[in-house]
Amino acid sequence: MQRQVALIKQSLFDQGYLDEQFMELEELQDDVNPNFVEEVSALYFKDSARLINNIDQALERGSFDFNRLDSYMHQFKGSSTSIGASKVKTECTMFREYCRAGNAEGCLRTFQQLKKEHATLRKKLEHYFQLARQAGPKETARRPK
Amino acid sequence: MAEVMRPEKLEISNDVTSSLASQELLHVLAVDDSIVDRKFIERLLRVSSCKVTLVDSATRALQYLGLDGENSTVGFEDLKINLIMTDYSMPGMTGYELLKKIKESSAFREIPVVIMSSENILPRIDRCLEEGAEDFLLKPVKLADVKRLRDSLMKAEEKAFNNIMLHKRELEANDIYSQLKRAKI
């Protein structure tokens, strides 16, 4: 079971969904706080859902306030970086490029892609954390050295 | 004569005792508008054995410090902050503006202020350091960064503590000397 958890985690890294930062977060876990990463992750998805909603509404209004959109995306990119959400971070960067170029079409396209990556990561992480809990907190709390 | 000296000595040792006790845990005020980053920095600081107070804006930081012009100076003397860590880009007042306000305050200008930012912009870094920032950290902040900060702060506190002890010993030595003189030994 623990091996399965380790394999899933490895594939998340190999496929580029997560980066080094996720490992940094895991290093901060201990016996007293074995669920820190899961807690941060939950916070991230709650917060980013709010940002996605804001951006959706802003885009739906049709008026492309690139400054405002860039500001939302700056926040989104920031928290994605902090959790190690690599693919989501990449989409955020692209979106901001399009904002700066004033490219509405590019923004819309990238945003669709971003939402997809975000949803995929959410599912994968939920699955991972669920398995990790079942496997036993002590072994999976820290990454193997 | 010895009795006259005693209250002063007691005062000194009380100060030393209480500042030693507060040195056990560095108290850090962390300012960030991102809930994810607040959770992260809190953990980094706790793991580094620091006491943490989190606020979500520069305005709230000023309120906490009692610098917002409102009458929030109750417990002002008890407020012991050893370090302020603030995000640069925040809505409303930026971390840079917060840094300036802190450095303008006579009560808090000695407290080291560290700026955190996700953007590696050299003019920004220069500006912050020129304004008196202790350090500028790129996000995501590393545990090594926090530990390094803590260690250098502990060293500074230890140095200050040693200076107090030295002064105390000097006073005591003078006291013994003057007692001996009076006894004509």
Side-chain angles (χ1 to χ4, degrees), chain B residues 71-82:
Chain B
N71 256 350
S72 48
T73 53
V74 179
F76 178 82
E77 277 81 39
D78 301 324
L79 192 65
K80 175 76 174 149
I81 300 279
N82 301 105

Side-chain angles (χ1 to χ4, degrees), chain A residues 1-2 131-141:
Chain A
M1 178 54 124
Q2 280 158 23
L131 279 180
R133 275 182 180 277
Q134 286 171 30
K138 215 169 163 107
E139 290 302 322
T140 57

Side-chain angles (χ1 to χ4, degrees), chain A residues 19-81:
Chain A
D19 61 30
E20 225 347 274
Q21 179 60 15
F22 192 83
M23 293 197 265
E24 295 281 338
L25 293 178
E26 288 193 314
E27 285 288 293
L28 298 173
Q29 287 187 148
D30 57 23
D31 294 338
V32 180
N33 298 272
N35 303 311
F36 171 69
V37 187
E38 191 175 355
E39 286 163 16
V40 185
S41 177
L43 265 179
Y44 168 71
F45 284 108
K46 185 169 166 203
D47 192 53
S48 51
R50 175 187 63 87
L51 283 168
I52 285 175
N53 204 31
N54 287 343
I55 297 169
D56 258 329
Q57 283 181 19
L59 290 173
E60 254 165 54
R61 276 197 288 272
S63 60
F64 276 79
D65 184 346
F66 288 113
N67 278 337
R68 194 197 196 111
L69 289 170
D70 187 60
S71 169
Y72 283 138
M73 205 43 79
H74 172 80
Q75 290 178 55
F76 205 147
K77 185 180 169 188
S79 50
S80 302
T81 306

Side-chain angles (χ1 to χ4, degrees), chain A residues 49-144:
Chain A
R50 175 187 63 87
L51 283 168
I52 285 175
N53 204 31
N54 287 343
I55 297 169
D56 258 329
Q57 283 181 19
L59 290 173
E60 254 165 54
R61 276 197 288 272
S63 60
F64 276 79
D65 184 346
F66 288 113
N67 278 337
R68 194 197 196 111
L69 289 170
D70 187 60
S71 169
Y72 283 138
M73 205 43 79
H74 172 80
Q75 290 178 55
F76 205 147
K77 185 180 169 188
S79 50
S80 302
T81 306
S82 294
I83 199 185
S86 187
K87 289 197 184 201
V88 177
K89 185 170 86 168
T90 304
E91 297 301 326
C92 290
T93 306
M94 272 220 289
F95 187 99
R96 295 188 79 191
E97 297 283 332
Y98 283 123
C99 276
R100 279 163 204 169
N103 185 337
E105 169 63 42
C107 283
L108 283 168
R109 236 183 318 117
T110 309
F111 189 54
Q112 295 314 311
Q113 188 59 24
L114 189 154
K115 282 197 282 190
K116 249 175 58 182
E117 293 295 350
H118 183 258
T120 304
L121 180 64
R122 183 178 208 149
K123 264 207 288 276
K124 286 186 185 283
L125 277 179
E126 270 169 13
H127 181 229
Y128 167 72
F129 286 127
Q130 194 177 35
L131 279 180
R133 275 182 180 277
Q134 286 171 30
K138 215 169 163 107
E139 290 302 322
T140 57
R142 276 200 199 281
R143 70 182 171 106

Side-chain angles (χ1 to χ4, degrees), chain B residues 26-30 45 50-53 81-85:
Chain B
L26 291 180
H27 185 186
V28 183
L29 175 64
L45 289 166
C50 294
K51 181 182 162 191
V52 193
T53 297
I81 300 279
N82 301 105
L83 170 67
I84 297 169
M85 296 184 77

